[in-house]
Amino acid sequence: MSSETDETGPIDYLVIEFPGSRMTGEGLPLLVDLVDRGIIRILDLVFVRKNQDGTVDGVELSELTANGQEDLAVFEGVSSGLLGRDDIDEVSAVLEPGSAAGIVIYENVWAGPLAAALRRSGGRLVANGRIPVQDILASLDAAEAGSRA
């Protein structure tokens, strides 16, 4: 393993659907902030729109800039090669007609040193997952309701 890949953090992906293609770009400055602070590194970033007839078009970053004030040039042409046409087609197949989506592949840079230390000590990832925020909120609401009973 090279020293660069030795310190690589976990790599995740997100697909965020925007029903009605209502992408405002409001979240993009927050994404820029995460990159600027070295928390994540964007490997791939693609936006698509699924038309009513089922065809899919790419969406340019310039179309998403909130009020034209954010400089998103840092994301122009971001492509590691991990996200391929097949992946985009797979995402597009689950989108509702008239919707848009952002697809992002990112490295969790913050976790790189920890991941490297665990690998050096013989550790290996055997499971991972994510708990949806809606499930956590429902569980907290149920616990709170139970404590009032």
Side-chain angles (χ1 to χ4, degrees):
M1 223 185 254
S2 74
S3 63
E4 182 178 313
T5 58
D6 189 39
E7 290 289 323
T8 299
I11 296 174
D12 290 324
Y13 73 92
L14 295 173
V15 177
I16 298 95
E17 182 177 28
F18 297 90
S21 292
R22 291 183 306 271
M23 293 189 292
T24 65
E26 182 180 351
L28 290 172
L30 300 169
L31 191 61
V32 170
D33 181 57
L34 291 171
V35 171
D36 286 348
R37 291 190 293 143
I39 295 170
I40 66 169
R41 179 171 60 112
I42 303 298
L43 301 174
D44 288 283
L45 181 63
V46 173
F47 295 93
V48 295
R49 181 177 296 122
K50 187 170 187 176
N51 301 306
Q52 291 297 334
D53 66 2
T55 59
V56 176
D57 298 317
V59 177
E60 295 297 322
L61 276 177
S62 60
E63 295 179 51
L64 306 176
T65 303
N67 301 323
Q69 296 175 354
E70 285 298 319
D71 180 11
L72 302 175
V74 67
F75 295 133
E76 286 293 337
V78 171
S79 178
S80 68
L82 291 174
L83 182 64
R85 184 73 231 172
D86 290 347
D87 301 311
I88 294 169
D89 290 344
E90 191 174 325
V91 165
S92 299
V94 299
L95 296 177
E96 292 294 321
S99 292
I103 308 164
V104 60
I105 298 177
Y106 61 97
E107 175 192 356
N108 291 283
V109 175
W110 64 269
L114 173 62
L118 294 172
R119 285 190 296 266
R120 284 191 302 270
S121 67
R124 62 184 183 92
L125 181 65
V126 294
N128 71 342
R130 200 160 300 241
I131 302 170
V133 171
Q134 296 86 343
D135 292 350
I136 293 170
L137 294 175
S139 180
L140 291 172
D141 288 344
E144 184 178 316
S147 68
R148 285 187 261 149

